[in-house]
Amino acid sequence: MASVQRAATYVEKGGVGKTTSAAHIAVAAHNMGHEVLLVDLAGTQNDLATHFGLSIVDEETADDGVSIDAPISAVFGDDWAFLRDNIDDLLDRMTFPTDEGPDLIPADPGLGGADNNLANVPLEERYQKLDGFVEDLVADQYDLVIFDLPGKEDNIALNGLFAARNVVAPLKPGAFERDQLQKLDATLEEISADLDVDLGLALIIPTIISSQETLSESFVEYVTEEYPEIVGEPVTKTADIGNNQNTGRTLFAVPDDELYATGKRAREAYSANTGQLLSRLTDR
């Protein structure tokens, strides 16, 4: 493997803070001196791009935003080797800079078709496409790559897991989420055995945590007891995250006097969690 560090935000459920966590971890890591690439594989809504105020549009309406020249879905296609070997600035054409430091490869509409097409690829090659992309193009330019994966176990997600090796699991309080965490842990063990890869949980982030809610308290206690070595700092429930996401910025881009106390605590938690994650990536 190349020296570039990798992680993926992944839980088989939406609405738990995967994309928010990916964005904030990426910015925090950049602020700690790392060259960071974010890769959005979570679908065509481009929530990661929205998080950074980037409007991704098709070529016909490019005046209203930026269009994708070289899509990430091409990595999974039959022509990828030709593109990789014949376009010198291919990675530059795939990435967009953000105002907060990390570079971003946005999702594109071709990911759905790419997932279907991967089913026709021989099993020994099917889940290594993204890993090859990282080794061939990304490792020379970045210290850290973070994949935001779909909330389902499809071929794209499995490619992301294989390439990342390290899984960040954001989870909000709830009995269903507890079950999902146990299922995820077991699933990663199965995938590791099936794909012959060292894959595992690197960090669990309790999200949308309120000190005034018993459910939050019991959930944090549960994950801390069950996963003491990899549970991160709970991220406080705050309106600041959604409000600032709508304006195209993470909490790290917001002046202190524009944040509630809950927003400041959430920002501090993401910084602490990023430091913990980076130390675990170094250890693995």
Side-chain angles (χ1 to χ4, degrees):
M1 286 178 59
S3 60
V4 61
Q5 296 177 334
R6 309 120 176 266
T9 52
Y10 179 69
V11 180
E12 288 188 64
K13 187 179 187 302
V16 296
K18 292 196 307 294
T19 298
T20 299
S21 296
H24 282 81
I25 289 171
V27 175
H30 170 81
N31 293 342
M32 294 174 185
H34 295 267
E35 294 292 332
V36 184
L37 176 65
L38 270 167
V39 182
D40 187 354
L41 298 168
T44 59
Q45 297 300 313
N46 268 307
D47 290 337
L48 263 179
T50 301
H51 234 310
F52 293 101
L54 292 173
S55 176
I56 308 296
V57 297
D58 59 42
E59 293 184 2
E60 295 180 358
T61 58
D63 289 343
D64 299 320
V66 291
S67 61
I68 297 174
D69 179 27
I72 186 63
S73 59
V75 170
F76 307 103
D78 295 335
D79 297 330
W80 172 249
F82 175 83
L83 296 172
R84 178 198 62 204
D85 295 340
N86 290 277
I87 302 178
D88 293 334
D89 60 346
L90 182 55
L91 184 60
D92 291 337
R93 294 172 66 172
M94 298 176 76
T95 59
F96 294 85
T98 70
D99 290 337
E100 298 188 47
D103 288 341
L104 169 68
I105 297 181
D108 70 83
L111 283 171
D115 178 67
N116 293 331
N117 292 337
L118 281 168
N120 299 317
V121 175
L123 194 60
E124 63 271 17
E125 303 174 12
R126 185 180 306 167
Y127 305 118
Q128 300 179 21
K129 301 285 189 179
L130 196 63
D131 186 60
F133 163 70
V134 173
E135 301 238 7
D136 292 341
L137 296 184
V138 174
D140 290 338
Q141 296 193 36
Y142 295 93
D143 306 316
L144 173 67
V145 56
I146 299 173
F147 305 101
D148 189 30
L149 302 185
K152 57 183 177 179
E153 188 183 318
D154 60 11
N155 290 316
I156 297 295
L158 288 170
N159 260 269
L161 292 172
F162 187 95
R165 270 69 163 181
N166 303 278
V167 177
V168 177
L171 284 169
K172 66 180 183 179
F176 178 80
E177 283 71 19
R178 291 190 188 189
D179 293 341
Q180 284 295 104
L181 183 55
Q182 294 173 350
K183 179 183 176 184
L184 175 61
D185 206 11
T187 298
L188 294 181
E189 288 187 10
E190 293 175 5
I191 295 172
S192 295
D194 291 343
L195 303 185
D196 191 24
V197 61
D198 180 17
L199 174 64
L201 280 169
L203 184 66
I204 299 167
I205 304 178
T207 61
I208 319 176
I209 300 299
S210 172
S211 59
Q212 300 177 347
E213 296 177 359
T214 303
L215 182 61
S216 287
E217 182 179 354
S218 62
F219 182 75
V220 172
E221 289 179 354
Y222 167 78
V223 293
T224 302
E225 290 175 1
E226 293 294 319
Y227 303 90
E229 295 183 357
I230 58 172
V231 65
E233 190 71 21
V235 176
T236 304
K237 180 180 181 180
T238 177
D240 281 330
I241 290 178
N243 291 342
N244 285 286
Q245 181 177 3
N246 292 335
T247 62
R249 57 184 182 175
T250 72
L251 296 177
F252 292 105
V254 185
D256 285 351
D257 59 3
E258 294 183 23
L259 287 175
Y260 296 112
T262 53
K264 294 177 183 177
R265 289 199 295 271
R267 185 174 61 187
E268 291 170 358
Y270 278 122
S271 290
N273 289 333
T274 302
Q276 182 176 344
L277 173 64
L278 291 173
S279 68
R280 287 197 58 80
L281 295 182
T282 302
D283 291 341
R284 282 183 64 86

